[in-house]
Amino acid sequence: MAVSEQTIVTGAQLDTLAINTIRTLAIDAVQKANSGHPGAPMGLAPVAYTLWQQFLRYDPENPIWPNRDRFVLSAGHASMLLYAVLYLAGVRRVIGDSQITDELSVSLDEIKRFRQLDSRTPGHPESHITTGVETTTGPLGQGCGNSVGMAIAERWLAGTYNRPNFEIFNYNIWTICGDGDLMEGVSAEAASLAGHLKLSNLCWIYDNNKVTLDGPAHWSFSEDVMTRFVGYGWNVTRVSDANDLQMLARAFNTFLETQDKPTLIVVDSHIGYGSPHKHDSSEAHGEPLGEEEVRLTKRNYGWPEDAKFLVPEGVKEHFKEGIGKRGHDFRVQWEKLFAQYSKEYPDLAKQLQLMQNRKLPEGWDQNLPTFPADPKGAGTRESAGKVLNVLAQNIPWLVGGSADLGNSNKTTLKFEGAGNFAPGSYSGRNIHFGVREHAMGSAMNGMSVSKLRPFGGTFFNFSDYLRPTIRLAALMETPVIFVFTHDSIGLGEDGPTHQPIEQLPALRAIPNTLVLRPGDANEVVEAWKLAIQSSHGPALLVLTRQPVPTLDRTKYAPASGTAKGAYVLADAEGGKPAVILIGTGSEVSLCVEAYEKLKTEGIRARVVSMPSWELFEKQDTAYKNSVLPPEVAARVSVEMSDPLGWERYVGPKGQMVGMRTFGASAPWKDLQKHFGFTVDAVVAAARKAMSEAK
Ligand SMILES: Cc1ncc(C[n+]2csc(CCOP(=O)(O)OP(=O)(O)O)c2C)c(N)n1
Ligand SMILES: [Mg+2]
């Protein structure tokens, strides 16, 4: 069908016209940017079109309506597919957390600025930049993992807030993924979890185009995906031609009818559909078509060959009649229902409103413990578990669990009614993620963009297994909370496979990430308060297995100093120290002991507890200088970690007591001596620093 800018068409022709508009917008944007992936959007355009136009319960006029269906493009390299659809559907821009504007989220001008600085059309979809992008994708597999978290969130919201005759939540999560997504381990973990949890609100649409970047998929991928997913407990169906809109619709309906398991729809497609090139050969793709091929492809579509960014008349109107009208009606109906619900259940409605705006309920910090001085003390994981259990009673939507280490991480919610999140009892607050750290982190991001406050625990060393999800949380500005216990060689006998060495500096290097390593039980209370109040990025609690003394706060400074990242815990008389000992976590009390020893020897020392570098960096210079006076060059850092980065606080004359090798398997007390985390060693380092600084 040939079209010109003036052509007006109807029915099936209009479908084709809309689909080819998506394709050509992707082609033109990638060509103009001279970078990006046109092939996947060309192949997938009919899938996205049918889904949005006929199925997605989504109102472009209100893209933050809580009961909207979620669309996730896990194949984030196909970002132009999403941008084209957001534009054609007329999705509005939202600023801040909830202000809907009249502006388009993605305008045609933004599409023309694809991949340019400050555009709302970055190379891969970024949820904190572009309204309608529900989650940031690009690192393959993550969108799949996020979608499982979104499905958990929907089930939890429905289980917790729906009431008879008030089905406030019943939305679905639709995810487009490709070969790369399904090759990545995180999607396998996530699919296994979703199947186990029987998340029937979750649909993955697998773009089975048999090609990846390097060439044909069979070079590296030959498993039977359908059988694998059947094994996970998914409902699996197939569409043998991505261009067959009726078959697509039938498959989508099959998903909607399936009530007891997630659905995988395998869609056979052709990457770069319509281009004269054979993309399913070993030829590389993932780059612009080139001017000549653009022309030939447009000719194949019956498109004006020289037109660029052409949106034929009637296409936007067609979307308005489809998703626009359907979505509007659903949303308005829901708002009426919610208004009624708010009258019947004002407390629940209030909770939902707070949650949507990422606010904490009044009294969120009530009943938090204060821990009395105790030389024996407890592992900071123990006190953290107590604090979490209080916070979770105050904040009903604080939901989470552990990757099979709940008893070790002390992340289990034990109060009455907390319950387990499980098939058929979706209001439970404890999620058993299983031994699936990566899926846990990825799901937490999905839960967080769904406005729950997720927490997740594992051993600190295994933060490596989910590190990509921390990075994405930081990028997406999602407030997830990780509870990392067993935070150093202090874990003892489990040995070097389990003893984190380089994780602290590596995690401190991620921008917008709050790393908190509290030194005793009362710093734990403060650290948890900071984590829960942090609303635009991940917070990591780094906690010990072994006991640490609970410091006497009548003798030493109050733990409220935690909020500043670092504070003077114990000082030389008159505040003029000859040497400063800086410790974090379990090494704070070691510094205090060394300080007391130095005092008996007549050496004027100061102890700085530094639970968070990031918070300290946010303080003004006057405060920083008051804690670490520039004139005091004799400084010692003490941390059972690779000391990378401590140079910035101890300076060129300073000493760093840290780990330079892997740890070892032995009782903790023996490791302490072996690796030099003793009072004598810290005192010796202090003397050395003082002599260097002379
Ligand atoms: C974790 C990760 N590794 C590698 C890449 C780079 N990458 C982008 S697209 C792609 C190929 C993906 O193949 P497939 O998912 O089949 O997408 P198609 O080429 O079919 O669109 C790769 C390797 C990435 N984005 N994320
Ligand atoms: Mg592929």
Side-chain angles (χ1 to χ4, degrees), residues 664-678:
S665 168
W668 154 232
K669 298 273 180 207
D670 297 341
L671 294 173
Q672 209 170 12
K673 271 184 225 119
H674 182 74
F675 288 105
F677 291 92
T678 58

Side-chain angles (χ1 to χ4, degrees), residues 47-308:
V47 177
Y49 168 73
T50 305
L51 177 59
W52 279 66
Q53 184 69 344
Q54 286 186 42
F55 287 85
L56 207 66
R57 292 187 174 190
Y58 185 92
D59 181 7
E61 284 173 7
N62 185 338
I64 52 173
W65 157 48
N67 195 38
R68 69 188 182 280
D69 278 359
R70 305 306 200 263
F71 173 75
V72 176
L73 183 66
S74 194
H77 58 282
S79 54
M80 263 313 303
L81 177 70
L82 179 50
Y83 298 146
V85 171
L86 291 176
Y87 164 63
L88 293 172
V91 173
R92 302 277 191 84
R93 183 178 186 212
V94 176
I95 48 183
D97 272 338
S98 57
Q99 194 192 330
I100 301 167
T101 68
D102 289 336
E103 206 186 323
L104 285 179
S105 169
V106 175
S107 63
L108 199 55
D109 281 340
E110 289 294 324
I111 287 179
K112 291 175 185 166
R113 298 206 313 121
F114 180 49
R115 293 184 161 230
Q116 304 309 302
L117 194 63
D118 292 332
S119 74
R120 291 206 291 273
T121 49
H124 295 86
E126 296 184 51
S127 60
H128 67 296
I129 291 180
T130 314
T131 308
V133 174
E134 302 280 8
T135 185
T136 295
T137 55
L140 293 169
Q142 290 299 339
C144 289
N146 295 164
S147 71
V148 171
M150 292 177 178
I152 288 173
E154 190 281 334
R155 288 290 75 198
W156 186 84
L157 287 165
T160 307
Y161 292 99
N162 285 356
R163 289 293 179 272
N165 302 320
F166 289 103
E167 210 178 348
I168 297 299
F169 293 105
N170 57 7
Y171 63 89
N172 290 308
I173 292 88
W174 307 80
T175 305
I176 289 184
C177 55
D179 301 298
D181 288 292
L182 293 196
M183 275 192 259
E184 291 289 354
V186 64
S187 69
E189 290 179 22
S192 162
L193 181 60
H196 167 75
L197 291 171
K198 302 192 193 305
L199 301 174
S200 61
N201 54 350
L202 178 65
C203 181
W204 287 5
I205 303 161
Y206 165 36
D207 178 26
N208 183 32
N209 62 11
K210 301 187 166 64
V211 59
T212 63
L213 273 194
D214 274 359
H218 70 76
W219 281 0
S220 55
F221 195 44
S222 47
E223 71 209 28
D224 182 340
V225 170
M226 295 181 79
T227 303
R228 175 155 73 97
F229 275 73
V230 168
Y232 287 146
W234 286 51
N235 174 40
V236 178
T237 182
R238 185 167 202 148
V239 172
S240 60
D241 176 5
N243 289 308
D244 187 332
L245 308 192
Q246 272 175 0
M247 264 171 52
L248 284 169
R250 198 182 306 160
F252 295 157
N253 276 320
T254 301
F255 159 62
L256 293 178
E257 285 155 15
T258 304
Q259 301 296 326
D260 56 349
K261 48 180 77 154
T263 295
L264 177 76
I265 303 175
V266 180
V267 179
D268 297 352
S269 80
H270 290 278
I271 195 161
Y273 178 85
S275 120
H277 265 73
K278 293 230 179 316
H279 282 271
D280 41 7
S281 73
S282 62
E283 194 177 329
H285 65 279
E287 47 191 47
L289 298 183
E291 293 294 353
E292 185 49 28
E293 197 176 332
V294 167
R295 231 184 290 277
L296 293 173
T297 305
K298 285 181 180 166
R299 188 187 297 170
N300 281 347
Y301 294 153
W303 214 250
E305 288 176 30
D306 292 319
K308 293 216 161 73

